[in-house]
Amino acid sequence: MRIATGARLPAGAERVIRDEEIVADGPVLRCADPRRNDVRPMGSAWPSGATLAAAGTAIDPALVSLATAAGVAAVSARGPVRIRLHTSGDEVGAAGRTGLPETAWGPVAALFEAAGCAVPRGPHLPDAPASFRAALLPDGADVVAIIGATGRGAADRLRDALDGVGATLPVDGVDVRPGGSLLVATVPDGPIVLGLGGNPMAAVLGAALLATPLRAALLREAPRAVELLPLADANPDDRWRMLPVEPDGAGRWRLPATVATPHLRDAVGRRAIALVPPLARPGDLAERLA
Ligand SMILES: Nc1nc2c(c(=O)[nH]1)N[C@H]1C(S)=C(S)[C@@H](COP(=O)(O)OP(=O)(O)OC[C@H]3O[C@@H](n4cnc5c(N)ncnc54)[C@H](O)[C@@H]3O)O[C@H]1N2
Ligand code: MOO
């Protein structure tokens, strides 16, 4: 009897032989190999009760497909991490010669979104204590991220606002540049607060550094190995650097010669962001952050 691939086994049949394995001998169909059998018994892919993905596995399209194949109609999941993202500073977005165009929210949001986070836009925060105090109020966001105001300048109200709500700062600056001026604070009964350096490149690189570990910690994901990129160029700097990088087409990754922080010129078209060790030489490895 002829059946289509994937059809149910007809009642009484014992074997399924592929069309190309069959030799027709008049009305009789013969199979050269007597062991050949293409029946796929129900439940043969994995034993009943098997764990198909460990707890803490990130949900990706393959996992959704696998759950569907296994007849699993619902899974319980954590996330996505909700990051309310604000810009700050009186000069940012202001009209006239003192104003600067706002150029950091979009790329920072894109980075957090690429890491699987939901990124609602918070209001722009003028340099006034009340605006920063309001931003720290809980509203269901897991994280409040603020671009700018990490510094200790007269206009930087974030630290005062954090003091006012009794926040602690587990991270207050990271020895890496650019973008090392970032801070991470926890507010009692409130959100986690990220302060990202205000220069757009600093904000983007700081977000790249924090996005994946933050998501992994908040969602209690199973730890995963980092991705390492072999470098095509040296890092002459004796400090850690975060840099937009691009493949050289021969298995290594090129570093930009310079990185300006007030704009993203040196990030345009770059396929990854790497954390490059001090004095790295060509062939050394750098962690891929994004
Ligand atoms: N006395 C010192 N001042 C500064 C130093 C320093 O070492 N000593 N470091 C500079 C560096 S590097 C950085 S990064 C910043 C970090 O300070 P903040 O995080 O408080 O950043 P802001 O002062 O708010 O902004 C810095 C710069 O970026 C512009 N900005 C801010 N937000 C945006 C936006 N959304 N779009 C476009 N541009 C933005 C802002 O106008 C400032 O020009 O501290 C430096 N100062
Ligand atoms: O440290 Mo700033 O973060 O270099 O631009």
mmCIF file of all heavy atoms in Angstrom, residues 177-181 197 199 202 261, ligand 2:
data_model
loop_
_atom_site.group_PDB
_atom_site.id
_atom_site.type_symbol
_atom_site.label_atom_id
_atom_site.label_comp_id
_atom_site.label_asym_id
_atom_site.label_seq_id
_atom_site.Cartn_x
_atom_site.Cartn_y
_atom_site.Cartn_z
ATOM 1 N N ARG A 177 36.475 52.133 30.017
ATOM 2 C CA ARG A 177 36.084 53.361 29.344
ATOM 3 C C ARG A 177 35.835 53.114 27.872
ATOM 4 O O ARG A 177 36.380 52.161 27.327
ATOM 5 C CB ARG A 177 37.117 54.448 29.538
ATOM 6 C CG ARG A 177 38.528 53.965 29.224
ATOM 7 C CD ARG A 177 39.519 54.985 29.537
ATOM 8 N NE ARG A 177 40.117 55.411 28.265
ATOM 9 C CZ ARG A 177 41.032 56.358 28.160
ATOM 10 N NH1 ARG A 177 41.414 57.008 29.225
ATOM 11 N NH2 ARG A 177 41.537 56.684 27.011
ATOM 12 N N PRO A 178 35.017 53.899 27.209
ATOM 13 C CA PRO A 178 34.140 54.890 27.834
ATOM 14 C C PRO A 178 32.968 54.186 28.521
ATOM 15 O O PRO A 178 32.814 52.982 28.394
ATOM 16 C CB PRO A 178 33.636 55.717 26.655
ATOM 17 C CG PRO A 178 34.133 55.073 25.399
ATOM 18 C CD PRO A 178 34.862 53.822 25.757
ATOM 19 N N GLY A 179 32.133 54.953 29.174
ATOM 20 C CA GLY A 179 30.912 54.403 29.753
ATOM 21 C C GLY A 179 31.057 53.923 31.173
ATOM 22 O O GLY A 179 30.093 53.460 31.788
ATOM 23 N N GLY A 180 32.285 54.046 31.741
ATOM 24 C CA GLY A 180 32.523 53.514 33.079
ATOM 25 C C GLY A 180 31.916 54.335 34.195
ATOM 26 O O GLY A 180 31.971 53.934 35.365
ATOM 27 N N SER A 181 31.287 55.462 33.851
ATOM 28 C CA SER A 181 30.716 56.295 34.913
ATOM 29 C C SER A 181 29.365 55.768 35.385
ATOM 30 O O SER A 181 28.680 56.426 36.149
ATOM 31 C CB SER A 181 30.562 57.736 34.415
ATOM 32 O OG SER A 181 29.595 57.792 33.388
ATOM 33 N N GLY A 197 26.093 56.854 31.801
ATOM 34 C CA GLY A 197 26.791 58.085 31.430
ATOM 35 C C GLY A 197 26.020 58.814 30.334
ATOM 36 O O GLY A 197 25.468 58.191 29.432
ATOM 37 N N ASN A 199 26.910 60.934 27.867
ATOM 38 C CA ASN A 199 27.370 60.960 26.482
ATOM 39 C C ASN A 199 26.766 59.754 25.760
ATOM 40 O O ASN A 199 26.837 58.633 26.272
ATOM 41 C CB ASN A 199 28.897 60.881 26.439
ATOM 42 C CG ASN A 199 29.519 62.215 26.782
ATOM 43 O OD1 ASN A 199 29.150 63.228 26.213
ATOM 44 N ND2 ASN A 199 30.438 62.208 27.736
ATOM 45 N N ALA A 202 28.734 56.601 25.753
ATOM 46 C CA ALA A 202 28.878 56.059 27.109
ATOM 47 C C ALA A 202 27.589 55.347 27.520
ATOM 48 O O ALA A 202 27.621 54.268 28.130
ATOM 49 C CB ALA A 202 29.198 57.185 28.088
ATOM 50 N N THR A 261 32.797 60.027 22.251
ATOM 51 C CA THR A 261 31.640 59.715 23.096
ATOM 52 C C THR A 261 30.414 60.612 22.890
ATOM 53 O O THR A 261 29.314 60.180 23.202
ATOM 54 C CB THR A 261 32.024 59.731 24.595
ATOM 55 O OG1 THR A 261 32.595 60.992 24.909
ATOM 56 C CG2 THR A 261 32.987 58.617 24.929
HETATM 57 O O1 MOO B 2 33.380 57.935 30.841
HETATM 58 MO MO1 MOO B 2 32.514 58.877 29.667
HETATM 59 O O2 MOO B 2 31.561 57.430 30.023
HETATM 60 O O3 MOO B 2 33.991 58.288 28.739
HETATM 61 O O4 MOO B 2 31.958 59.162 28.101
#
